[in-house]
Amino acid sequence: MSSYSIAIQTFVHRFDKYFKPLMRSLCEARPDVDKVIFVNPQHKTGLDENYRKYMLMFASTCPRTYIISPPRVRGLAHMWNVCANYAQTPYVLNLNDDVTLLPGFFDHYEQMIAHQQEHGHESFRINGSFSHFSIYHQDLLDVGYFDERLLGFGEEDGDWLWRWEVSKGRTMRVFGTDRIVNHVDQSATNSENMNKYEGKYSKFNSDWIFSNKYQPDVPIDPNKPKAISLYGRPIQMRDGASTPDYYPTEKFYRENLHRL
């Protein structure tokens, strides 16, 4: 059994341009690695039936590919959590659907995993980005899951990294490679039918997290936890703010599945 699975979250407007070439490269390079694909509908319009049909047909040509798809749009935090839980490996390589993997990427990635085995297991970012990062599943149990109250897209990475840094007392490891290209697609179809900011992110997420969870514009209280995360300066949680325990039975499931 591989020490890692691969997870991708995708939607209709990236199917031909990005997703299909990415999947072909995955299936050719690592056919024996599980691939968990979350196919997200569009807000207000749902899942296009032709897209659903072609996605299932295409996915069936790639070994060890597992499709998840709800009837209504879900936020990125939810998709990351679900993919991580469905993957039954210690590590999950989480890839944006608008990346290109160059020859040799998996050799580099597996060297990163080997480094972890020698120096201690934990989640890590690749080239400093959450567009391509690796979740160590135990971190989700120790730190908590991505916050699913972020109903759209954006801020889920900074929130989780803040909690990770507070929990571990240090910054997360970053590994570098020149074997991946992040296209950072800025099409108008990103967050389609949602109120947006910065062109592609959900305004709801930004408004909610800084109104309800963090207070970036107040002096630091030396008696409360602080971290920099992706915010560029130390910030702290609001008094009384916390993150729900989204999947309290997942640890039990993993520890007891062998008893069935």
Side-chain angles (χ1 to χ4, degrees), residues 162 166-167 214 220-227 234-237:
W162 188 96
V166 167
S167 174
Y214 294 101
I220 293 295
D221 182 341
N223 299 311
K224 293 170 56 180
K226 65 179 183 297
I235 69 169
Q236 295 178 308
M237 269 195 183

Side-chain angles (χ1 to χ4, degrees), residues 20-21 93 106 117-118 132 162 172-173 205 251:
K20 287 167 69 175
L93 171 60
F106 281 104
Q117 292 169 343
E118 182 176 349
H132 24 66
W162 188 96
M172 184 181 288
R173 288 177 188 153
N205 284 18
K251 184 174 185 289

Side-chain angles (χ1 to χ4, degrees), residues 42-60:
Q42 296 300 93
H43 183 44
K44 296 183 178 179
T45 59
L47 190 67
D48 180 90
E49 278 298 308
N50 286 328
Y51 172 53
R52 185 181 68 84
K53 178 175 69 174
Y54 291 127
M55 170 61 78
L56 292 173
M57 291 172 58
F58 178 75
S60 70

Side-chain angles (χ1 to χ4, degrees), residues 16-110:
D16 289 310
K17 184 176 182 179
Y18 295 117
F19 179 78
K20 287 167 69 175
L22 175 59
M23 281 299 294
R24 290 190 184 105
S25 67
L26 295 177
C27 298
E28 180 179 349
R30 293 297 183 271
D32 297 330
V33 173
D34 285 349
K35 304 154 194 75
V36 181
I37 313 300
F38 198 111
V39 180
N40 208 19
Q42 296 300 93
H43 183 44
K44 296 183 178 179
T45 59
L47 190 67
D48 180 90
E49 278 298 308
N50 286 328
Y51 172 53
R52 185 181 68 84
K53 178 175 69 174
Y54 291 127
M55 170 61 78
L56 292 173
M57 291 172 58
F58 178 75
S60 70
T61 67
C62 185
R64 305 185 72 91
T65 298
Y66 306 94
I67 299 294
I68 306 165
S69 188
R72 288 187 177 181
V73 70
R74 299 304 299 253
L76 187 54
H78 175 82
M79 292 192 283
W80 281 353
N81 287 342
V82 168
C83 287
N85 281 345
Y86 277 27
Q88 296 299 296
T89 50
Y91 283 96
V92 180
L93 171 60
N94 205 88
L95 298 173
N96 273 15
D97 56 357
D98 59 342
V99 303
T100 297
L101 303 184
L102 304 178
F105 170 80
F106 281 104
D107 294 333
H108 284 196
Y109 178 71
E110 288 160 8

